[in-house]
Amino acid sequence: MKPGDIISHPEMCMCEGRMLQHGMNFRVAPDHSVILMSRRPGAPYNDRVADNGSTLIYEGHDIPRLRGIGDPKRFDQPRNTPTGRLTPNGKFESAAVAFKAGKAPELVRVYEKIKDGIWTYNGVFQLVDAWQEQSGGRNVFKFRLVLTNQGIG
């Protein structure tokens, strides 16, 4: 598979060896993570592309809709679960911090939703930065990913 290829959701899941239902999938294999993004109108997160497609700014994910949580967009995006474990936001943030401390970058395969059930493969990116910023009166995570010249192994 090469960047720009159009695939179905089942093909994407077969390629990754698992059912992909969440946008942030940390270490789906020992050598990479997976991010599912969308820039379609009405997309739940503010993902964007910069530098002619070579840089992605990916927004972290909200708290799950649990009992008593009517609108997750009213709450800060979490780093940890209520039991203290890292959420996907926390796992990706930790990988970005490790990279900035001199560790090898986390490699991330990125797929973008075109329409229901149809995706495009955007390539392999390196996770190089993470931060929090204010958006709509709450703190959200942002992740910077930079395109590599690697294909799918």
Side-chain angles (χ1 to χ4, degrees):
M1 184 174 337
K2 62 187 183 309
D5 283 355
I6 307 297
I7 59 173
S8 68
H9 186 263
E11 290 170 316
M12 179 177 66
C13 294
M14 188 168 31
C15 179
E16 294 300 336
R18 67 175 53 210
M19 178 60 76
L20 296 169
Q21 295 181 321
H22 301 284
M24 300 176 77
N25 303 275
F26 191 75
R27 297 266 167 89
V28 297
D31 63 343
H32 73 277
S33 294
V34 171
I35 282 181
L36 308 179
M37 64 179 285
S38 176
R39 295 179 297 144
R40 299 183 325 154
Y45 300 103
N46 186 21
D47 301 333
R48 65 184 200 271
V49 175
D51 304 325
N52 294 319
S54 66
T55 301
L56 300 178
I57 306 299
Y58 185 81
E59 185 172 296
H61 282 212
D62 298 333
I63 60 173
R65 274 188 206 262
L66 302 172
R67 189 177 321 166
I69 305 289
D71 180 10
K73 299 285 185 200
R74 292 188 0 227
F75 299 89
D76 290 345
Q77 290 181 342
R79 175 179 289 112
N80 298 91
T81 67
T83 62
R85 295 178 60 189
L86 290 175
T87 64
N89 294 326
K91 292 174 185 178
F92 277 85
E93 179 190 43
S94 294
V97 168
F99 168 73
K100 292 196 297 188
K103 301 279 187 191
E106 181 70 21
L107 297 179
V108 182
R109 294 180 185 172
V110 176
Y111 298 89
E112 185 170 355
K113 190 173 194 174
I114 297 173
K115 62 182 188 175
D116 289 345
I118 307 296
W119 298 78
T120 186
Y121 175 62
N122 285 352
V124 177
F125 289 73
Q126 293 180 339
L127 176 61
V128 299
D129 199 7
W131 65 95
Q132 286 185 289
E133 63 184 48
Q134 283 283 309
S135 176
R138 67 191 186 121
N139 289 320
V140 298
F141 283 88
K142 296 289 185 169
F143 302 95
R144 179 180 303 276
L145 299 106
V146 177
L147 186 64
T148 70
N149 59 1
Q150 298 180 28
I152 281 191

